[in-house]
Amino acid sequence: MLVHYWWEGKSVQPLWKIVWRCFKELKIELPFNPGIPLLGICPKGKKSLYQKDICTHMFIAALITIAKIWNQPKCPSMDDWIKKM
């Protein structure tokens, strides 16, 4: 199942945790939920337009990074993800 690989796979979980850690540093509170980055579902009234733009860019960079390492056994590094942003 694709959702399993994109969200729950042991090779991508460390990357998603890094993404959420960056949100906390930016004072953006989001629930750790696969619907947010994978489906673009955003909690109502939670974020300003500025925060939505930041989140969108971070999610796209993470998804592109995951797609590039699709058949590799390791998780992408934080540097790979930041370069995509």
Side-chain angles (χ1 to χ4, degrees):
M1 180 177 220
L2 289 177
V3 172
H4 172 75
Y5 183 82
W6 284 95
W7 183 257
E8 296 172 353
K10 64 181 176 181
S11 64
V12 297
Q13 269 297 303
L15 177 64
W16 287 120
K17 289 178 182 177
I18 290 169
V19 172
W20 255 260
R21 192 175 328 130
C22 288
F23 286 146
K24 286 189 184 241
E25 289 176 14
L26 294 170
K27 309 253 187 288
I28 299 173
E29 293 296 325
L30 286 175
F32 194 69
N33 182 332
I36 296 171
L38 299 179
L39 301 175
I41 297 171
C42 196
K44 289 185 179 180
K46 285 283 187 180
K47 297 180 287 184
S48 69
L49 184 59
Y50 171 74
Q51 289 176 332
K52 286 181 184 179
D53 287 345
I54 290 173
C55 292
T56 300
H57 286 78
M58 291 173 75
F59 290 143
I60 290 171
L63 292 170
I64 289 170
T65 304
I66 292 168
K68 284 187 99 174
I69 57 104
W70 190 266
N71 290 323
Q72 296 177 6
K74 67 178 185 92
C75 176
S77 70
M78 185 171 172
D79 290 335
D80 291 340
W81 173 66
I82 289 173
K83 286 177 189 175
K84 289 291 172 202
M85 286 197 333

